[in-house]
Amino acid sequence: MADGLGAAASVVGIAGAAVQSVQFLSATIDNIKDAPDTIRNINLDLRAVEPVLRKLDTASQSDGSQIVLSAEVKSAVENCNRACTGFQMLLSGWMKHSTEEKIFWADRWRVGLFRQERIKTFRAQLSDCKSTLNVTLQTAHILTSIQQGYFMNEMKDMMLRQNEAAIHREIHRAESERSAIENSLQQLPVSSTQPSEEAELSRQELLQEIQKQKASNDSFRRICEEALSRTVYERTGQKIKGVRATDDSTALAGFVNITGEGLKINQDISDVTADKRSFAAAGVIMNMDFKDLRPPNRLSNNTTG
């Protein structure tokens, strides 16, 4: 219990700090009367993430579920706080020759030409934080409500299936974002032919933030996989993670050729990996000739029960 209270207090503390950072940055942008749209539009993301942070603050005090207090959630909130604080300092540097009433033309030029990718990366980190917390809070709410017996079986099954579908969409989006991040890293030039000190500093800052964006994307993907695992387990009694088949191999996990009472067996299966030309099977399996699992003609098959 003490560990749970400590984890909850930790999440509450960092969530409160992140809310303050979001509010401070939003107010700063509001006070720049002649801010470019690229800067002003950041407030759309800040105003979207703030209420989710507040919901987490509340949930962490009343919901002791492991998913709400997970390391991924804590990491997402800490990164949001760090990103907002860092962007606040960066914005002050960009606008150092300006006043709240008027942006000096050189500052607007710098923002327009050199900082677009930096702004894009910052907004992506805010989006990852919001998505991580939304998936966490939605899953925790559904699981808590079901476990407390608020719904009939039909409604319970429907809610769990809907949550599974929603999480699958988020995983697909996370994978697409990961590809975009990899492209950004590949397209980022090693250095300019004759870089100025300011240009090289901007490049290094952008590289660091893209790496942090990659880390936040990884954290988002992990929380989606955990939420999906918990949702599937609540619906089926099966907890299955990381089933992989590579090269010419085949992997099976879960129920295979099982009907009736056999489907009521609870299973907690972690990683099942088939590498090279091998195969792996884990779960409740009947009437299976394992010689048939070897894929013919170098075709790779992946099956999850």
Side-chain angles (χ1 to χ4, degrees):
M1 179 65 71
D3 290 342
L5 291 175
S10 176
V11 172
V12 170
I14 61 176
V19 168
Q20 291 181 352
S21 296
V22 166
Q23 290 177 330
F24 186 40
L25 179 55
S26 180
T28 299
I29 293 172
D30 279 339
N31 288 335
I32 302 174
K33 304 302 182 183
D34 196 29
D37 287 341
T38 50
I39 297 296
R40 193 165 299 282
N41 288 340
I42 294 172
N43 260 346
L44 299 175
D45 303 284
L46 295 171
R47 287 166 183 159
V49 78
E50 181 181 348
V52 187
L53 287 166
R54 291 188 180 278
K55 287 180 182 178
L56 175 68
D57 198 347
T58 301
S60 60
Q61 298 178 60
S62 59
D63 186 344
S65 65
Q66 186 177 353
I67 191 170
V68 171
L69 305 179
S70 69
E72 283 74 20
V73 169
K74 183 177 179 182
S75 174
V77 178
E78 286 176 336
N79 187 60
C80 178
N81 185 26
R82 178 208 59 79
C84 287
T85 301
F87 198 83
Q88 174 78 38
M89 296 174 62
L90 191 64
L91 187 60
S92 297
W94 289 354
M95 306 301 174
K96 61 185 177 182
H97 299 300
S98 305
T99 68
E100 291 183 350
E101 296 297 329
K102 185 174 179 61
I103 291 184
F104 186 61
W105 69 268
D107 292 317
R108 185 188 295 275
W109 179 72
R110 288 192 189 97
V111 171
L113 291 182
F114 298 112
R115 314 299 188 181
Q116 298 299 325
E117 284 300 314
R118 180 65 177 80
I119 293 171
K120 177 182 174 182
T121 301
F122 173 61
R123 296 184 70 178
Q125 290 183 63
L126 291 178
S127 177
D128 280 343
C129 176
K130 179 171 67 71
S131 297
T132 298
L133 301 189
N134 274 331
V135 168
T136 300
L137 294 169
Q138 177 68 11
T139 301
H141 173 71
I142 290 174
L143 296 182
T144 299
S145 299
I146 287 174
Q147 290 164 3
Q148 291 177 350
Y150 292 158
F151 302 102
M152 301 293 289
N153 286 339
E154 293 79 5
M155 180 62 71
K156 165 186 167 181
D157 187 74
M158 182 187 73
M159 292 174 63
L160 291 170
R161 288 182 182 276
Q162 287 177 344
N163 199 48
E164 287 175 38
I167 296 171
H168 275 299
R169 289 193 294 270
E170 291 298 291
I171 290 175
H172 178 72
R173 186 167 66 82
E175 290 173 343
S176 298
E177 289 178 357
R178 177 60 180 263
S179 297
I181 293 169
E182 295 290 352
N183 288 336
S184 295
L185 286 172
Q186 292 174 6
Q187 294 172 8
L188 189 66
V190 176
S191 63
S192 304
T193 305
Q194 293 181 326
S196 67
E197 182 177 347
E198 181 184 20
E200 179 58 21
L201 179 61
S202 296
R203 192 191 72 84
Q204 290 293 337
E205 289 173 347
L206 177 57
L207 177 60
Q208 292 174 9
E209 287 305 312
I210 293 176
Q211 294 287 2
K212 289 183 173 70
Q213 182 191 356
K214 183 177 179 181
S216 69
N217 177 266
D218 289 341
S219 182
F220 174 39
R221 173 61 188 260
R222 286 194 298 270
I223 203 67
C224 284
E225 291 176 343
E226 178 64 20
L228 181 61
S229 175
R230 288 173 179 269
T231 302
V232 170
Y233 184 75
E234 185 64 34
R235 184 174 64 82
T236 67
Q238 297 189 83
K239 184 178 289 186
I240 299 174
K241 284 187 178 181
V243 179
R244 302 177 183 88
T246 61
D247 294 338
D248 298 345
S249 59
T250 297
L252 300 176
F255 293 114
V256 180
N257 296 333
I258 302 297
T259 60
E261 291 297 315
L263 294 173
K264 297 181 181 180
I265 298 173
N266 288 349
Q267 300 187 88
D268 188 340
I269 300 172
S270 186
D271 280 351
V272 180
T273 300
D275 195 14
K276 303 300 181 181
R277 296 181 64 82
S278 63
F279 65 86
V284 182
I285 302 172
M286 295 186 66
N287 302 321
M288 172 66 69
D289 187 343
F290 286 91
K291 291 186 296 183
D292 296 335
L293 292 180
R294 294 192 179 278
N297 301 323
R298 300 184 61 84
L299 294 177
S300 179
N301 302 295
N302 301 328
T303 304
T304 304

